[in-house]
Amino acid sequence: MTQPTDKTAPAEASLRTMSDGRNTAGHLSARAQAAKADRLDRQAAALRANLLRRKAQARSRQDADTPTDQHSSACPETGKPKPCP
């Protein structure tokens, strides 16, 4: 009878990082986990703020690129073209 092989063991081993010769993956203290969660929260907030800022910049650029036609040929009340003078 053959022994079952664990096909996930090599993949899991390759995912772990070796920082200073120790395997630290998954071995964080509660304090370190809280600090990591705080860092991730700050990073997520910074990324959201950056995205909002970039979207606002893109909108302002788009608004600046579209010329406003102050001498429109349409009547503002009806939207129909004005008659020629």
Side-chain angles (χ1 to χ4, degrees), residues 33-49:
Q33 287 176 347
K36 184 176 181 178
D38 288 342
R39 283 192 305 273
L40 290 174
D41 289 343
R42 284 194 307 271
Q43 181 185 25
L47 289 171
R48 281 191 300 274

Side-chain angles (χ1 to χ4, degrees), residues 7 15 21 31 69:
K7 294 181 181 182
L15 293 176
R31 186 173 164 187
D69 192 8

Side-chain angles (χ1 to χ4, degrees), residues 3-72:
Q3 287 196 345
T5 58
D6 187 7
K7 294 181 181 182
T8 59
E12 289 175 0
S14 66
L15 293 176
R16 293 187 182 123
T17 58
M18 301 293 281
S19 57
D20 57 354
R22 315 183 291 181
N23 185 357
T24 58
H27 299 290
L28 295 176
S29 67
R31 186 173 164 187
Q33 287 176 347
K36 184 176 181 178
D38 288 342
R39 283 192 305 273
L40 290 174
D41 289 343
R42 284 194 307 271
Q43 181 185 25
L47 289 171
R48 281 191 300 274
N50 186 28
L51 179 63
L52 291 174
R53 183 178 49 83
R54 288 174 49 206
K55 283 185 173 185
Q57 285 176 344
R59 280 189 214 107
S60 67
R61 262 188 247 115
Q62 186 179 11
D63 291 344
D65 288 346
T66 21
T68 55
D69 192 8
Q70 295 175 351
H71 303 289
S72 176

